[in-house]
Amino acid sequence: MAEGAALRAVRGCLAAFPREARELGWPESVPYLDRPPSPLEFYREWVSPNKPCVIRNAINHWPALEKWTSAYLREVVGPKVVSVAVTPNGYADAVFQDRFVMPEERQMPFMDFLDIVEKKVTSPNIFYVQKQCSNLTEEFPELVCDVQPDIPWMSEALGKKPDAVNFWVGESAAVTSLHKDHYENLYCVVSGEKYFLLHPPSDRPFIPYELYQPATYHISEDGSFEIVDEKTAEKVPWIPLDPLKPDLELYPEYAQAKPLKCTVKAGEMLYLPSLWFHHVQQSHGCIAVNYWYDMEYDIKYSYYQLLDSLTKAVKML
Ligand SMILES: O=C(O)CCC(=O)C(=O)O
């Protein structure tokens, strides 16, 4: 076969693969479970087939659901200085002006952050408690007793404890741009709502990735933001596309991708499987805790790597 024909054949396979995978295995919408599963059931039905679901009645017993009012949070962690991501536009860790731009990580008393979220103080900027290195246990240990250190049926199913337990509190304008990671993610909403847009890993051929110079927002004396390059850091592969208003002229393949959308309400938990692309928004002041369990680097991971490499290779030609 001539090289051109071989390339067309590979392109055709890559274009057909997401649809075939969807027909074989992915749901049209994210299913709900009415109770937490047994470890075996969870592994068999959801983790192993890499399928998302929303689980109800799994965290009803958490004191956090009742306790985490503004008054309680102010009393318990109010004066404490914590890390808050600040951006001019709500996008922390996202592509902007041809850079991968990270937020200013501002150290501020948690109650000053709450004043901004509750609009007692006005700010033109967008604030999000979203530091992901297990910030619940590292920065908010006072709150750990109101949730669980891990999710027992998940820890048993996977035979390990979570790598990180993260605490998220944000303004409605704070957006997490489309990305994927290597965690089996149990995402629990304590108050408010989270809005997820998801793509299965098999949609990779339709999702653009580019390499970007990393940079960070720095606030200037006059309060405006400048974007400062992290000159010594390596380029970061990231998705430039906004799935809420995709530029289909630039990224025509994305027209064929079919995102799943789901709302996770207070008291519910989303199982967001490893390698799934996700874009996340929230209702104003939403509070959430999530558990990141490292994925198994098994054959599923290898197949994804192959799909990723083939997608990149055909783009180079
Ligand atoms: O809640 C968010 O804003 C983002 C969560 C997320 O991306 C993650 O846990 O991987």
Side-chain angles (χ1 to χ4, degrees):
M1 197 192 286
E3 254 178 54
L7 180 61
R8 274 197 301 282
V10 175
R11 281 215 168 97
C13 290
L14 285 173
F17 178 73
R19 182 178 37 82
E20 288 164 4
R22 202 181 311 133
E23 281 170 7
L24 270 176
W26 306 132
E28 296 271 315
S29 59
V30 180
Y32 283 82
L33 311 187
D34 282 331
R35 55 168 182 83
S38 70
L40 177 64
E41 196 185 340
F42 195 65
Y43 193 83
R44 198 180 48 211
E45 306 290 330
W46 307 98
V47 179
S48 176
N50 194 235
K51 286 183 180 170
C53 61
V54 173
I55 306 152
R56 292 186 167 132
N57 301 311
I59 57 168
N60 287 349
H61 58 292
W62 281 12
L65 294 188
E66 295 286 316
K67 273 168 90 177
W68 286 3
T69 60
S70 167
Y72 176 80
L73 295 174
R74 281 172 190 275
E75 187 191 317
V76 178
V77 265
K80 189 164 186 187
V81 173
V82 297
S83 311
V84 182
V86 188
T87 59
N89 55 10
Y91 285 81
D93 301 335
V95 174
F96 184 66
Q97 293 179 352
D98 215 26
R99 299 266 182 286
F100 171 70
V101 190
M102 294 169 280
E104 183 210 338
E105 277 204 8
R106 196 172 297 178
Q107 300 298 308
M108 62 195 286
F110 188 59
M111 63 196 174
D112 291 1
F113 164 76
L114 289 177
D115 284 346
I116 291 166
V117 173
E118 289 165 12
K119 305 208 186 299
K120 292 185 173 146
V121 170
T122 52
S123 166
N125 307 135
I126 310 300
F127 291 70
Y128 195 13
V129 168
Q130 60 120 46
K131 198 175 159 76
Q132 293 142 48
C133 51
S134 214
N135 64 337
L136 184 75
T137 48
E138 299 301 311
E139 289 200 299
F140 297 88
E142 304 80 358
L143 300 178
V144 172
C145 55
D146 298 331
V147 297
Q148 286 171 286
D150 69 328
I151 302 295
W153 43 266
M154 183 60 151
S155 299
E156 198 177 327
L158 300 182
K160 58 184 149 196
K161 298 283 185 199
D163 271 17
V165 186
N166 303 309
F167 181 59
W168 308 81
V169 190
E171 297 195 73
S172 54
V175 179
T176 296
S177 68
L178 192 64
H179 70 288
K180 61 144 180 51
D181 29 46
H182 297 150
Y183 296 111
E184 307 296 349
N185 190 340
L186 286 180
Y187 203 110
C188 308
V189 178
V190 173
S191 71
E193 295 182 337
K194 265 334 231 206
Y195 312 114
F196 289 85
L197 181 149
L198 307 174
H199 282 284
S202 52
D203 271 356
R204 171 67 183 94
F206 298 151
I207 295 182
Y209 261 99
E210 316 274 346
L211 281 175
Y212 293 95
Q213 167 66 49
T216 307
Y217 283 116
H218 283 236
I219 193 127
S220 324
E221 299 256 303
D222 66 359
S224 65
F225 276 97
E226 48 176 353
I227 294 174
V228 179
D229 284 350
E230 301 288 337
K231 289 215 176 70
T232 55
E234 283 189 14
K235 289 198 169 179
V236 175
W238 207 259
I239 299 167
L241 172 132
D242 179 351
L244 300 181
K245 35 180 171 39
D247 183 340
L248 296 179
E249 273 186 23
L250 260 182
Y251 310 112
E253 295 88 359
Y254 187 75
Q256 298 174 65
K258 283 228 167 85
L260 296 179
K261 290 189 183 168
C262 82
T263 297
V264 184
K265 298 196 165 106
E268 295 178 343
M269 171 195 281
L270 170 69
Y271 167 52
L272 173 51
S274 54
L275 304 175
W276 276 65
F277 299 92
H278 48 289
H279 171 280
V280 190
Q281 293 173 287
Q282 65 237 304
S283 60
H284 197 76
C286 170
I287 307 180
V289 170
N290 72 356
Y291 297 80
W292 282 355
Y293 287 82
D294 203 10
M295 71 175 288
E296 288 300 318
Y297 292 89
D298 56 10
I299 193 68
K300 209 158 44 193
Y301 175 77
S302 303
Y303 283 144
Y304 176 80
Q305 289 299 100
L306 175 66
L307 182 64
D308 184 55
S309 306
L310 283 173
T311 305
K312 281 187 201 139
V314 297
K315 288 238 154 23
M316 279 157 57
L317 295 161

